[in-house]
Amino acid sequence: MIQHPYKNYIDLIPVRIHNQQEYCAYVEEETNGKPWFHDIKEYLSKGEYSEHANHTQKCTLRRLSNHFFHGGGNLYRRTSDLGLLRYVDAKEASKLLKDVHV
């Protein structure tokens, strides 16, 4: 332990309190009609790459797919505590948000 030169002095930490809460209920639609995780899901289910994928994209897809699990038509991500997070597309996400907040 190091002795502080001013024994009773503690630096103040500035804290700002926001009175207004913010909620996000906006889910962005996919431009091509496929969710962002479509390529990962296809790679796990069929073992095939997208026809337009280059070498770097294929390596990235293989690396990303190690953290995912495909089962029952759904895509899940393994968490560090061995839980599974289910990935949903924009339509299902909007439906889930409406069901939860009604």
Side-chain angles (χ1 to χ4, degrees):
M1 234 172 155
I2 299 173
Q3 182 74 22
H4 194 277
Y6 309 109
K7 294 182 182 185
N8 294 328
Y9 180 75
I10 299 173
D11 294 330
L12 297 177
I13 301 173
V15 176
R16 293 188 303 164
I17 299 173
H18 298 282
N19 292 328
Q20 183 178 359
Q21 297 177 350
E22 296 204 19
Y23 297 95
C24 181
Y26 175 73
V27 179
E28 193 172 314
E29 289 286 333
E30 292 85 10
T31 56
N32 62 357
K34 298 177 185 174
W36 67 267
F37 55 85
H38 174 74
D39 291 335
I40 297 171
K41 190 174 180 180
E42 289 296 311
Y43 177 73
L44 289 174
S45 63
K46 298 179 182 175
E48 299 175 356
Y49 300 105
S50 171
E51 59 189 40
H52 303 293
N54 60 27
H55 177 69
T56 306
Q57 291 170 335
K58 290 178 182 179
C59 290
T60 303
L61 189 59
R62 281 194 307 269
R63 182 178 46 81
L64 285 173
S65 66
N66 289 330
H67 301 284
F68 290 89
F69 172 78
H70 185 257
N74 297 318
L75 185 68
Y76 300 93
R77 180 177 171 86
R78 294 183 187 101
T79 61
S80 59
D81 62 350
L82 300 178
L84 295 176
L85 301 174
R86 182 174 165 217
Y87 281 77
V88 296
D89 60 1
K91 288 180 183 178
E92 191 171 357
S94 296
K95 181 184 176 293
L96 288 171
L97 281 171
K98 287 177 185 174
D99 291 346
V100 169
H101 292 289
V102 171

